Amino acid sequence: TNRDISVASVAFETDYVPHHGEELELTVLPGNATVKPLRALVRVTGCTEIEPGRRYAVVGAIGKVID
C-alpha cells in the first residue's frame, strides 16, 4: 500500500521486512489504465513495525526509475 511518494522518496506498507540499505524494485499501479505504472529501484532508509509480525511501514530513497 502506497502511503506517500515524491520525486526522491517513497513511503509504503508491506508484509515484507526489508533490511536497512536493501534495494527493492517497487511498482506503483495507477488509479486508471491510461497511465503507466511507476517502476523504480528504491533503497530502504527506514522500516517500522505497525502491526506486530504482520505489517511494516517502509521509507526509501528512489534511486532509479525503470522504463
Side-chain angles (χ1 to χ4, degrees):
T1 303
N2 181 32
R3 295 180 70 179
D4 187 32
I5 191 165
S6 71
V7 173
S9 64
V10 63
F12 59 95
E13 293 180 17
T14 181
D15 58 357
Y16 174 70
V17 185
H19 298 287
H20 188 274
E22 183 175 351
E23 189 170 79
L24 306 173
E25 183 175 322
L26 180 71
T27 301
V28 179
L29 300 175
N32 69 56
T34 61
V35 178
K36 284 177 42 175
L38 169 66
R39 291 181 53 224
L41 295 178
V42 174
R43 183 158 316 272
V44 175
T45 57
C47 180
T48 304
E49 186 176 54
I50 55 177
E51 203 177 317
R54 300 183 62 197
R55 205 85 181 135
Y56 303 86
V58 178
V59 178
I62 298 174
K64 178 181 178 182
V65 174
I66 303 168
D67 194 23

